[in-house]
Amino acid sequence: MSNIPAELRYTTSHEWVRNEGDGTYTVGITEHAQELLGDMVYVEAPEVGAKFGAGDEIAVAESVKAASDVYAPISGEVVAINEDLEDSPELVNTDPYGDGWMFRIKADDASEVEALLDAEGYEQSIDED
């Protein structure tokens, strides 16, 4: 059973979103997703300042098994990336909800976050897979 923190929101494509309280949201992939992918070897981060719509391909997580697209969970502008992943992509495996975060996005419409899954809804979605 994967760890699914209750305070985060989730997508069915396995991204998590944490509200930073200042209009920005930190995004990463879930523990379940990193377990499916295996050991990370590279993370292609988006460019700071780039704008994305909800559901757009925004990053790539490459593991020993496969490369997987990471999708923007909400619309907005990328305001920061986790530069530590450049040298240590394995942080996604060892701490997916902490040091393994991928990028921060400034929301165009914060109500999009409320439309994402809560922890219970995400758990149900992965149980159905």
Side-chain angles (χ1 to χ4, degrees):
M1 175 62 77
S2 295
N3 176 27
I4 305 172
E7 70 276 15
L8 304 178
R9 302 299 277 198
Y10 301 90
T11 67
T12 55
S13 54
H14 309 295
E15 290 83 13
W16 59 262
V17 178
R18 181 177 57 231
N19 185 348
E20 298 299 333
D22 61 357
T24 67
Y25 296 84
T26 300
V27 179
I29 64 170
T30 65
E31 185 174 286
H32 177 74
Q34 67 82 23
E35 287 172 350
L36 291 174
L37 289 168
D39 294 338
M40 289 292 149
V41 294
Y42 179 71
V43 175
E44 181 181 319
E47 288 188 33
V48 173
K51 291 190 150 220
F52 294 89
D56 289 351
E57 295 172 9
I58 192 168
V60 176
E62 188 173 333
S63 71
V64 293
K65 292 182 181 175
S68 181
D69 291 325
V70 177
Y71 300 96
I74 58 174
S75 301
E77 178 181 343
V78 175
V79 294
I81 61 169
N82 185 352
E83 295 178 358
D84 293 340
L85 296 181
E86 188 172 317
D87 293 329
S88 304
E90 68 276 9
L91 290 171
V92 174
N93 297 113
T94 59
D95 193 9
Y97 300 113
D99 291 341
W101 66 277
M102 292 187 167
F103 57 90
R104 288 202 177 98
I105 191 165
K106 183 175 181 183
D108 285 344
D109 180 358
S111 69
E112 289 180 346
V113 177
E114 296 307 312
L116 299 174
L117 298 170
D118 60 14
E120 185 177 326
Y122 179 67
E123 184 173 2
Q124 288 174 358
S125 79
I126 60 175
D127 286 346
E128 293 168 1
D129 284 344

